[in-house]
Short mmCIF file of all heavy atoms in Angstrom, two decimals:
data_model
loop_
_atom_site.label_atom_id
_atom_site.label_comp_id
_atom_site.label_asym_id
_atom_site.label_seq_id
_atom_site.Cartn_x
_atom_site.Cartn_y
_atom_site.Cartn_z
N ILE L 1275 154.46 112.56 80.63
CA ILE L 1275 155.04 113.53 79.69
C ILE L 1275 154.22 113.66 78.41
O ILE L 1275 153.86 114.76 78.02
CB ILE L 1275 156.52 113.17 79.40
CG1 ILE L 1275 157.31 113.43 80.69
CG2 ILE L 1275 157.07 114.00 78.25
CD1 ILE L 1275 158.73 112.93 80.65
N PRO L 1276 153.86 112.52 77.78
CA PRO L 1276 153.00 112.66 76.59
C PRO L 1276 151.71 113.42 76.90
O PRO L 1276 151.28 114.26 76.10
CB PRO L 1276 152.69 111.21 76.21
CG PRO L 1276 153.69 110.37 76.91
CD PRO L 1276 154.25 111.13 78.03
N LEU L 1277 151.12 113.13 78.06
CA LEU L 1277 149.88 113.81 78.41
C LEU L 1277 150.12 115.31 78.56
O LEU L 1277 149.32 116.12 78.11
CB LEU L 1277 149.31 113.25 79.71
CG LEU L 1277 148.30 112.12 79.56
CD1 LEU L 1277 147.81 111.66 80.93
CD2 LEU L 1277 147.12 112.57 78.72
N PHE L 1278 151.23 115.65 79.20
CA PHE L 1278 151.52 117.06 79.39
C PHE L 1278 151.66 117.77 78.04
O PHE L 1278 151.07 118.83 77.82
CB PHE L 1278 152.81 117.25 80.21
CG PHE L 1278 153.15 118.69 80.41
CD1 PHE L 1278 152.52 119.44 81.39
CD2 PHE L 1278 154.07 119.33 79.57
CE1 PHE L 1278 152.80 120.78 81.55
CE2 PHE L 1278 154.36 120.67 79.72
CZ PHE L 1278 153.72 121.39 80.72
N LEU L 1279 152.39 117.12 77.13
CA LEU L 1279 152.58 117.72 75.80
C LEU L 1279 151.24 117.88 75.10
O LEU L 1279 150.96 118.90 74.47
CB LEU L 1279 153.52 116.85 74.97
CG LEU L 1279 154.95 116.76 75.51
CD1 LEU L 1279 155.78 115.81 74.67
CD2 LEU L 1279 155.59 118.15 75.58
N PHE L 1280 150.41 116.86 75.26
CA PHE L 1280 149.09 116.89 74.62
C PHE L 1280 148.26 118.05 75.16
O PHE L 1280 147.72 118.86 74.41
CB PHE L 1280 148.39 115.55 74.89
CG PHE L 1280 146.96 115.50 74.44
CD1 PHE L 1280 146.63 115.56 73.10
CD2 PHE L 1280 145.94 115.39 75.38
CE1 PHE L 1280 145.32 115.52 72.69
CE2 PHE L 1280 144.62 115.34 74.98
CZ PHE L 1280 144.30 115.41 73.63
N PHE L 1281 148.19 118.16 76.48
CA PHE L 1281 147.37 119.22 77.06
C PHE L 1281 147.97 120.61 76.77
O PHE L 1281 147.25 121.58 76.63
CB PHE L 1281 147.21 119.01 78.57
CG PHE L 1281 146.25 117.90 78.90
CD1 PHE L 1281 146.61 116.87 79.75
CD2 PHE L 1281 144.98 117.89 78.34
CE1 PHE L 1281 145.73 115.85 80.04
CE2 PHE L 1281 144.09 116.87 78.63
CZ PHE L 1281 144.47 115.84 79.48
N ARG L 1282 149.31 120.65 76.67
CA ARG L 1282 149.91 121.94 76.36
C ARG L 1282 149.53 122.37 74.95
O ARG L 1282 149.23 123.53 74.69
CB ARG L 1282 151.43 121.86 76.48
CG ARG L 1282 152.07 123.24 76.48
CD ARG L 1282 153.55 123.17 76.59
NE ARG L 1282 154.11 122.43 75.46
CZ ARG L 1282 155.40 122.22 75.29
NH1 ARG L 1282 156.27 122.67 76.18
NH2 ARG L 1282 155.84 121.54 74.26
N SER L 1283 149.49 121.38 74.03
CA SER L 1283 149.15 121.73 72.66
C SER L 1283 147.69 122.20 72.57
O SER L 1283 147.31 122.91 71.66
CB SER L 1283 149.38 120.54 71.73
OG SER L 1283 148.38 119.57 71.97
N LEU L 1284 146.87 121.78 73.54
CA LEU L 1284 145.49 122.27 73.58
C LEU L 1284 145.40 123.63 74.27
O LEU L 1284 144.33 124.24 74.31
CB LEU L 1284 144.59 121.28 74.33
CG LEU L 1284 144.34 119.93 73.69
CD1 LEU L 1284 143.47 119.07 74.61
CD2 LEU L 1284 143.66 120.08 72.34
N GLY L 1285 146.51 124.08 74.84
CA GLY L 1285 146.51 125.35 75.55
C GLY L 1285 145.84 125.26 76.91
O GLY L 1285 145.28 126.22 77.42
N TRP L 1286 145.87 124.07 77.51
CA TRP L 1286 145.15 123.88 78.77
C TRP L 1286 146.05 124.00 80.00
O TRP L 1286 145.58 123.86 81.12
CB TRP L 1286 144.50 122.49 78.79
CG TRP L 1286 143.26 122.42 77.95
CD1 TRP L 1286 142.76 123.39 77.13
CD2 TRP L 1286 142.38 121.30 77.84
NE1 TRP L 1286 141.63 122.96 76.51
CE2 TRP L 1286 141.36 121.66 76.93
CE3 TRP L 1286 142.36 120.03 78.42
CZ2 TRP L 1286 140.33 120.79 76.60
CZ3 TRP L 1286 141.32 119.17 78.07
CH2 TRP L 1286 140.33 119.55 77.18
N VAL L 1287 147.34 124.22 79.78
CA VAL L 1287 148.23 124.31 80.92
C VAL L 1287 147.89 125.54 81.75
O VAL L 1287 147.51 126.58 81.20
CB VAL L 1287 149.71 124.35 80.46
CG1 VAL L 1287 150.63 124.68 81.62
CG2 VAL L 1287 150.09 123.00 79.87
N ASP L 1288 147.98 125.39 83.05
CA ASP L 1288 147.59 126.42 84.01
C ASP L 1288 146.09 126.68 84.03
O ASP L 1288 145.63 127.73 84.46
CB ASP L 1288 148.36 127.72 83.78
CG ASP L 1288 148.57 128.46 85.10
OD1 ASP L 1288 148.56 127.79 86.16
OD2 ASP L 1288 148.69 129.69 85.08
N THR L 1289 145.30 125.71 83.54
CA THR L 1289 143.85 125.74 83.78
C THR L 1289 143.50 124.45 84.53
O THR L 1289 144.33 123.54 84.63
CB THR L 1289 143.03 125.76 82.48
OG1 THR L 1289 143.17 124.48 81.85
CG2 THR L 1289 143.53 126.86 81.54
N LEU L 1290 142.27 124.37 85.04
CA LEU L 1290 141.87 123.17 85.77
C LEU L 1290 141.49 122.02 84.82
O LEU L 1290 141.31 120.89 85.25
CB LEU L 1290 140.69 123.49 86.69
CG LEU L 1290 140.95 124.55 87.77
CD1 LEU L 1290 139.72 124.76 88.63
CD2 LEU L 1290 142.14 124.17 88.64
N LEU L 1291 141.38 122.34 83.52
CA LEU L 1291 140.89 121.34 82.56
C LEU L 1291 141.68 120.02 82.55
O LEU L 1291 141.06 118.95 82.55
CB LEU L 1291 140.83 121.95 81.16
CG LEU L 1291 139.76 123.02 80.96
CD1 LEU L 1291 139.88 123.66 79.58
CD2 LEU L 1291 138.37 122.42 81.15
N PRO L 1292 143.01 120.05 82.52
CA PRO L 1292 143.72 118.75 82.45
C PRO L 1292 143.46 117.88 83.68
O PRO L 1292 143.65 116.66 83.62
CB PRO L 1292 145.19 119.15 82.41
CG PRO L 1292 145.21 120.59 82.07
CD PRO L 1292 143.93 121.18 82.54
N LEU L 1293 143.05 118.49 84.77
CA LEU L 1293 142.75 117.69 85.97
C LEU L 1293 141.33 117.14 85.92
O LEU L 1293 141.05 116.08 86.45
CB LEU L 1293 142.93 118.55 87.23
CG LEU L 1293 144.31 119.18 87.40
CD1 LEU L 1293 144.35 120.03 88.65
CD2 LEU L 1293 145.37 118.09 87.47
N VAL L 1294 140.42 117.90 85.31
CA VAL L 1294 139.00 117.56 85.37
C VAL L 1294 138.56 116.72 84.17
O VAL L 1294 137.90 115.69 84.34
CB VAL L 1294 138.15 118.85 85.43
CG1 VAL L 1294 136.69 118.53 85.24
CG2 VAL L 1294 138.40 119.56 86.75
#
Side-chain angles (χ1 to χ4, degrees):
Chain L
I1275 291 171
L1277 267 180
F1278 179 81
L1279 295 176
F1280 172 67
F1281 285 127
R1282 193 180 61 180
S1283 73
L1284 292 178
W1286 284 5
V1287 170
D1288 211 25
T1289 70
L1290 299 181
L1291 291 174
L1293 303 178
V1294 170

